[in-house]
Structures are given as C-alpha cells and as structure tokens.
Amino acid sequence: MAQPPAGIQLEPVTRWLADNVEGVEPPIEFEQIAGGHSNLTYRARDGTGRTFVLRRPPLGEVLATAHDMGREYRVITAVGQTAVPVPRTLAHCADPSVNGAPFYVMTFVEGAVLHDDDAATAIYPNVEQRRSLGLHTAYVLADLHLADIDAIGLGDLGRREEYVERQLRRWKKQWDAHHQREIPDMEEAFAILSRKVPAQRHTSVVHGDYRLGNMIATPTGRIAAVLDWELCTLGDPLADLGYLLNTWSSEHEEGAEGVGASPTRAGGFPERSELIDLYAARTGFDTSQVGWYRAFQYWRLGAIVEGVYARYVLGAMPSVPDDLDRLGQRVYFLAALAMEHLR
C-alpha cells in the first residue's frame, strides 16, 4: 500500500473510521485533494471501493479556534437540513491523539470545481450550461439566507447583530498592524464605509466565501455541493451577495485582475444585474444598497491581501513568489474598486 500523504496517521485513522463510520472496510487509501493555509482535504477509498472525504486543520496549526473542525462539521450538518446542497456529514473525531488534530468525514460529491475561466470553458463548452449554473448559484445563495437559523440549530453560532461593523473593526485593526505602504484609497474607503453602514435588516447564515471556486458543479449546470464553510457565521446576508458579485467578473472588466481568477470570464454566465434581481425576488430582501456591500468586500479583500503581502515582505514565509510585486499591486486595484462603488 502506498504511503499516506502528510497529515494522515494511517493506522489509528483507519481504526477510528472502521469503528465510527458505518460500512467502512479497511484497508483505506488517502489522497490529498486540497491544501495550503486553509483546512486540508483528502479523498479516502476503502476496501470496498467506497469513497469519502476527510478534512483536518493545516499541518502545524496550533490555534484550534482558527480551524475548528467541530464547528465546521456542525455547520455542514445543519445546512444539510435545508435546500442548500452540501456533502452529507458522516462522523467527527474530536480526539487529537488519533491523527494529531481533530478531523471529520463526509460523503464524496462527484463533479467539478471551476477555479478559473479555463476550467469553466473545458467543463461547460455550451454557454447555456454556464448560464444555468449561474442562475442556480443565485438561487442557492438565496436558499441559504432564507434558512431559519434557529430551526436548523445554528441560532447560537455567533453574534447576530452589527456583522459588518465588527468586520470593519477587525480588518481595520489588521490593516493598521500590517500594511507596508500608504494607500490613500484604503484609508478613504474605510472612512466612507464606516460612515455609511446600512442597517442590518436580516440575520442569516453567512458563508463568508461564497463563489464558484468553492462549489462542486454538475455537467448539467447545477451546484452539487457548496464547500469550504470554515468562515461561516451569522450576520448580514447581503455581505455574501456583495462578495459573490465581486467575483463575477467579465474577461475585459477593468480592474478585474485585482480580484483574482474568475470562472465567469469565460462568458455565457448571467449578468450581475440578473443575479441581483433573482436573489431579491427569491428572498424578498432589499438589495438597493448592494453597491456598499461590494465596496466593503473589495476593501476587506484588500486588507487580507495586504496581510499576505506583508508576511512575504517581512520574511515570515519560507519562500517569496516570483509575482510578489503583482500581489502587492492587487491591493491598489482592490482599494480603487472599493472607492469606485462608494462614489
């Protein structure tokens, strides 16, 4: 049998899975399918050919609250009661002695992840498939935000009120502590955002990173599963909508390079205005101030990217990427986009 990938202690994990997941038959082989600074994801195949997924924190992670496996397991289990497609959770191991850190397992969902426009074109050569996927993306987000947080058992997941105010304070603190350049647009955008915070009219489950790159798509142009719930909390649902719209860029959109790879640059996806209309019709929410939420998400991403840039500049990372200057330039693009939407 091949050696297990880093992050999997084969013998104790195999024993635990056999004892705690119904129907699992050793031996079990593991393959890492996602990794980095986020939680690590592995595809597991048992002796019967059954496939499932194991998730654990990054290697060397010591802050349990930053990568809380129990919380993520709880969220996916709860959301699974709604119309939102997610993998079915199977078991959670809170004992770090089994694998060096807590982990959980869930079903493996067949499909493709659209990380960029090349993937979108390869998987969906027909533009009607892309349009169908885009429409379903709006519907699923609406269904998530319509879920009764108390009925699904997430009413105590986090504070319900002042979500964006807390986000502004958090990321401004990060910006003040780590920024390497003076970027006037970042400072001005924060000042305007703080003065014009919209009233939070609804409280919902907020995914925190809702975009096509965090979904499994089917060949028919549907979302088979929404993934990566580690940033999920309670808050203002329009923050998710603003974030999704910012990732929904076209091929020739000015400043789009600041946002990063976007499958929608392949063309054929619904326009942003159509997503907004569909979302508003399905939820009944007032989306008239969505421009503020888009500006907020551009500014927030600018603060996050600057933090990554600072770690490279200050030598806190083991290696420096060849495109470090481009990474730093992204913050200027994002700040300018925030100001554009505030004007």
Side-chain angles (χ1 to χ4, degrees), residues 25-275:
E25 295 287 345
I28 304 174
E29 295 184 352
F30 293 88
E31 174 190 1
Q32 187 170 341
I33 56 176
H37 303 295
S38 183
N39 293 330
L40 306 181
T41 307
Y42 305 84
R43 178 168 42 235
R45 186 184 302 273
D46 76 354
T48 69
R50 177 187 179 187
T51 302
F52 53 95
V53 170
L54 183 148
R55 288 263 285 177
R56 60 150 294 158
L59 300 179
E61 177 60 48
V62 295
L63 296 176
T65 55
H67 298 275
D68 189 335
M69 294 293 97
R71 189 176 192 273
E72 190 172 320
Y73 178 84
R74 175 192 174 192
V75 167
I76 299 173
T77 303
V79 173
Q81 304 172 62
T82 74
V84 177
V86 291
R88 181 169 58 88
T89 53
L90 299 174
H92 168 238
C93 177
D95 182 0
S97 69
V98 176
N99 195 41
F103 63 89
Y104 70 90
V105 289
M106 57 186 174
T107 56
F108 179 80
V109 178
E110 293 286 351
V113 177
L114 276 61
H115 291 296
D116 53 29
D117 54 332
D118 289 338
T121 303
I123 296 164
Y124 296 119
N126 187 324
V127 294
E128 287 304 315
Q129 295 171 314
R130 299 177 214 162
R131 174 170 172 78
S132 174
L133 180 66
L135 297 177
H136 197 216
T137 302
Y139 288 139
V140 169
L141 183 63
D143 287 342
L144 174 64
H145 293 162
L146 288 172
D148 185 325
I149 57 178
D150 293 309
I152 64 174
L154 293 181
D156 61 348
L157 186 66
R159 285 182 58 185
R160 304 186 182 205
E161 70 283 347
E162 297 186 339
Y163 172 76
V164 292
E165 291 93 335
R166 288 183 280 115
Q167 286 283 302
L168 284 168
R169 290 193 295 269
R170 173 187 176 183
W171 292 109
K172 183 58 161 65
K173 183 178 180 181
Q174 292 291 313
W175 171 262
D176 288 341
H178 301 296
H179 73 276
Q180 301 298 298
R181 296 78 52 84
E182 295 301 323
I183 304 180
D185 277 352
M186 283 293 289
E187 303 291 352
E188 186 176 357
F190 173 78
I192 299 173
L193 287 166
S194 299
R195 289 198 305 268
K196 298 184 177 182
V197 176
Q200 182 175 319
R201 300 184 180 183
H202 308 279
T203 298
S204 74
V205 175
V206 174
H207 182 276
D209 196 10
Y210 189 85
R211 56 188 174 86
L212 286 172
N214 280 335
M215 303 173 191
I216 296 175
T218 71
T220 57
R222 304 280 288 178
I223 297 170
V226 180
L227 307 175
D228 291 345
W229 293 86
E230 59 192 285
L231 299 180
C232 177
T233 188
L234 302 183
D236 191 330
L238 295 181
D240 267 348
L241 179 61
Y243 182 80
L244 175 65
L245 295 173
N246 286 357
T247 69
W248 210 264
S249 57
S250 60
E251 182 179 3
H252 303 294
E253 186 172 332
E254 184 177 355
E257 60 267 40
V259 182
S262 176
T264 54
R265 292 183 202 172
F269 288 87
E271 297 292 330
R272 288 187 179 110
S273 58
E274 191 170 4
L275 292 186

Side-chain angles (χ1 to χ4, degrees), residues 3-20:
Q3 286 291 106
I8 297 294
Q9 297 179 17
L10 186 60
E11 291 186 6
V13 170
T14 297
R15 286 196 301 270
W16 190 93
L17 291 171
D19 290 342
N20 291 275

